Amino acid sequence: MSGEERARGRTRLPRAETTATFVGMPAFPSMAREALDNTQQRRNLAHATHTIRTKRAAVVGEVPQWEALRLNGSQTKDHMLAHLDDYLLQLEENLVEAGATVHWARDADEANRIAIDLVRAKGVDEVVKVKSMATQEIELNEALEAAGIAAWETDLAELIVQLGHDRPSHILVPAIHRNRSEIRDIFRREMARAGRPAPEGLTDEPTQLADAARLHLREKFLRAKVAISGANFAIAETGSLVVLESEGNGRMCLTLPETLISVVGIEKVLPSWSDLSTFLQLLPRSSTGERMNPYTTMWTGAAAGDGPQDVHVILLDNGRTSVLADEVGRQALRCIRCSACLNVCPVYERAGGHAYGSVYPGPIGAVLTPQLRGTSSKLDQSLPYASSLCGACFEVCPVRIDIPRLLVRLRTQVIDGKRGGLPTAESAAMRSAAWMFADHRRFEKAQDAATLGSLLLGRRTSIHRLPWPASAWTEARNAPVPPRETFREWWVRTHGESATGTTGSGGPGAAGGVR
């Protein structure tokens, strides 16, 4: 490779405004409204999620003991979380014995500082990366860039996102919101600025796109001295780390460079090697709809003459111990990042991942992100409401996280956090409704007003636009026209006046029935 090519390969990509911090973004409803206007993205998402969940259903249906596997996975995770301190110490001991160096990071800043110092100590200005949710969570790429270090994503979907100055929108398929023609245009426009340019005449055929990415990345693999990864699992019993991927690019990062830095969330620990077999069945079927993952790489420290000789593991907290302290909320830490909940969620399918303002989108993001970050911002307060509570996410979760229950619990926390301050429009409306329902006479007067309004609307059956503040409701749905006769009026007309008293037997007025 010539000096000019090497220089070109180290060119920094300009950071898009959308790839800065997630904090401070608008609340979910406003971002979702914008996403709903993007019809191309909605088509892309509908096609991709339907395809993945159909494949998942087929391979899950082949396993007669699937529910037993789910239960085993959830129980293993719960046991690990209950004894996490012991297993983390065991993991550290076995990692060190195997020749790795262990670093503990309380938060994102500390983890980023450790990683930057390790890269600088090697005297290099670039790294290659394995797809990692943990490094996205702490915004490691941005921290490295600020330190003058280029971080090259090698997962195909992550490469598309990086070249497109975009943000990931899915846990498993970060570029799920892009179609093939959009990817072709990104490669044609951006590859030359980051290294080897796209081939002349590149089309949107998948094989051509994959070949273009392979050629573009190869020079980076062969040149890189330092790689950064995450880990799907960390085995306490042996000190082994495990990465599952579909392309083999991750394995190139895990074997070719001299130095390997792995950022691992402390909840990724499994107690023993035998526990791994359960999750190697649960994860591929739930994520990609495959019986077995194409590339499963395992390594235990440094091995003489084989792979990186300088191995570092950064064990990341970043809010996880706070989640662990909640005996109900901690079940979110069971998550193995399979993305099955995203693929069945009607809200995610229509709004897409960017609307969640977090690297963890979809149902799991709606419960995990507010627990990791707290609910002080409007965005995090809105996430527990980004759900229809249909329960499909629980039905497909391979480790049985009761996401609907956690969503309701978080909604309660959001409401409790607002008590005592200035009332919101919603709380004022609820107080007014409570005042009205507290006395049957007030309620009956409100019903009389509603039925009078229905007479003014003639033969209409629905209302397309209500005045403010009820206009917020009719922006997304029609309101039914109030009935011309209430149930109470119908009862009196058909059963007689005495039926509304408190002395009847079985009528709606008995014991104060409908009051």
Side-chain angles (χ1 to χ4, degrees):
M1 183 184 299
S2 68
E4 180 182 349
E5 287 173 324
R6 284 194 297 270
R8 184 181 62 203
R10 287 182 171 85
T11 301
R12 304 296 195 273
L13 287 168
R15 188 191 304 177
E17 291 181 4
T18 55
T19 61
T21 178
F22 289 108
V23 177
M25 283 188 168
F28 178 86
S30 69
M31 290 196 289
R33 189 176 295 112
E34 180 180 341
L36 288 172
D37 291 335
N38 188 337
T39 55
Q40 181 62 61
Q41 176 175 287
R42 289 176 63 183
R43 283 194 293 268
N44 297 346
L45 285 168
H47 173 74
T49 54
H50 280 248
T51 299
I52 295 172
R53 68 174 179 247
T54 300
K55 289 176 61 180
R56 176 206 166 273
V59 295
V60 165
E62 298 172 350
V63 184
Q65 72 276 21
W66 180 252
E67 283 305 311
L69 277 174
R70 290 181 73 205
L71 189 60
N72 188 322
S74 65
Q75 290 174 342
T76 299
K77 279 285 192 174
D78 283 346
H79 169 76
M80 177 275 296
L81 292 170
H83 304 279
L84 182 57
D85 51 350
D86 294 329
Y87 286 121
L88 284 172
L89 292 176
Q90 184 183 9
L91 175 66
E92 179 187 35
E93 179 182 353
N94 288 320
L95 280 167
V96 172
E97 185 176 344
T101 303
V102 176
H103 310 263
W104 297 84
R106 286 166 291 191
D107 53 29
D109 290 340
E110 190 168 5
N112 289 336
R113 184 169 63 252
I114 293 168
I116 291 169
D117 289 346
L118 291 172
V119 176
R120 282 176 170 167
K122 297 300 174 181
V124 299
D125 63 354
E126 65 175 351
V127 299
V128 289
K129 288 184 75 257
V130 185
K131 181 181 183 300
S132 165
M133 300 299 296
T135 60
Q136 290 176 16
E137 175 189 327
I138 63 176
E139 297 184 337
L140 179 57
N141 285 15
E142 289 77 11
L144 289 168
E145 183 179 350
I149 301 166
W152 303 117
E153 295 290 351
T154 63
D155 175 83
L156 177 56
E158 291 286 1
L159 175 67
I160 294 165
V161 169
Q162 185 176 46
L163 292 176
H165 316 297
D166 203 349
R167 287 184 290 114
S169 63
H170 192 276
I171 290 176
L172 176 68
V173 194
I176 196 171
H177 57 290
R178 298 290 193 184
N179 61 30
R180 294 186 307 181
S181 62
E182 291 174 309
I183 295 168
R184 175 204 59 206
D185 294 341
I186 290 171
F187 281 7
R188 286 176 174 177
R189 184 178 65 248
E190 301 293 341
M191 273 188 168
R193 302 172 64 186
R196 181 167 182 155
E200 291 291 333
L202 178 67
T203 72
D204 63 0
E205 285 298 313
T207 54
Q208 289 199 27
L209 295 173
D211 285 343
R214 186 177 296 112
L215 293 170
H216 178 81
L217 290 170
R218 182 156 298 172
E219 63 180 25
K220 294 177 169 54
F221 287 134
L222 296 176
R223 187 176 64 223
K225 302 295 183 183
V226 178
I228 296 177
S229 82
N232 292 98
F233 306 106
I235 313 301
E237 181 183 43
T238 61
S240 304
L241 300 186
V242 184
V243 163
L244 281 68
E245 42 133 358
S246 299
E247 301 164 6
N249 293 332
R251 183 164 294 179
M252 299 283 279
C253 294
L254 298 167
T255 55
L256 290 178
E258 299 168 0
T259 299
L260 174 60
I261 304 166
S262 301
V263 182
V264 184
I266 57 176
E267 83 283 13
K268 295 298 185 70
V269 180
L270 293 181
S272 68
W273 187 260
S274 61
D275 293 322
L276 183 60
S277 63
T278 296
F279 293 93
L280 290 183
Q281 295 177 77
L282 289 171
L283 182 53
R285 284 179 165 83
S286 299
S287 59
T288 57
E290 295 170 297
R291 299 178 184 89
M292 183 176 180
N293 208 67
Y295 292 89
T296 301
T297 306
M298 308 177 190
W299 69 101
T300 307
D306 182 18
Q309 298 301 293
D310 187 18
V311 176
H312 297 264
V313 178
I314 302 173
L315 294 175
L316 175 69
D317 185 335
N318 203 37
R320 286 159 174 78
T321 52
S322 297
V323 182
L324 188 66
D326 185 339
E327 293 186 1
V328 177
R330 70 169 57 166
Q331 63 179 291
L333 296 179
R334 296 180 197 160
C335 178
I336 58 175
R337 311 293 192 264
C338 69
S339 76
C341 62
L342 281 69
N343 299 326
V344 298
C345 178
V347 176
Y348 173 85
E349 182 181 314
R350 289 156 180 80
H354 293 159
Y356 293 83
S358 165
V359 298
Y360 303 114
I364 187 61
V367 297
L368 184 58
T369 300
Q371 291 188 89
L372 290 174
R373 299 196 306 208
T375 54
S376 59
S377 72
K378 289 184 177 180
L379 170 61
D380 292 315
Q381 291 170 6
S382 70
L383 287 178
Y385 296 90
S387 170
S388 64
L389 298 180
C390 68
C393 49
F394 171 71
E395 296 300 325
V396 298
C397 177
V399 287
R400 296 175 55 86
I401 302 172
D402 193 347
I403 294 177
R405 180 187 180 192
L406 296 183
L407 286 167
V408 172
R409 181 179 176 85
L410 284 166
R411 291 180 185 185
T412 302
Q413 291 180 13
V414 170
I415 296 300
D416 287 345
K418 295 179 180 179
R419 298 189 192 280
L422 291 174
T424 63
E426 181 184 18
S427 64
M430 291 299 103
R431 289 180 184 178
S432 298
W435 176 83
M436 178 185 66
F437 287 127
D439 188 305
H440 74 94
R441 291 165 295 187
R442 298 174 195 150
F443 181 53
E444 289 166 2
K445 288 179 180 178
Q447 286 184 310
D448 291 341
T451 54
L452 178 62
S454 70
L455 297 175
L456 300 176
L457 292 171
R459 296 181 177 273
R460 295 174 62 180
T461 59
S462 63
I463 304 171
H464 301 296
R465 186 182 300 276
L466 287 170
W468 186 89
S471 57
W473 174 271
T474 51
E475 280 182 3
R477 58 187 68 79
N478 292 337
V481 171
R484 293 173 178 264
E485 184 179 41
T486 68
F487 174 79
R488 184 175 279 101
E489 290 170 339
W490 170 85
W491 185 271
V492 171
R493 178 170 58 80
T494 57
H495 292 74
E497 183 69 30
S498 62
T500 61
T502 59
T503 57
S505 58
V514 188
R515 291 187 181 272

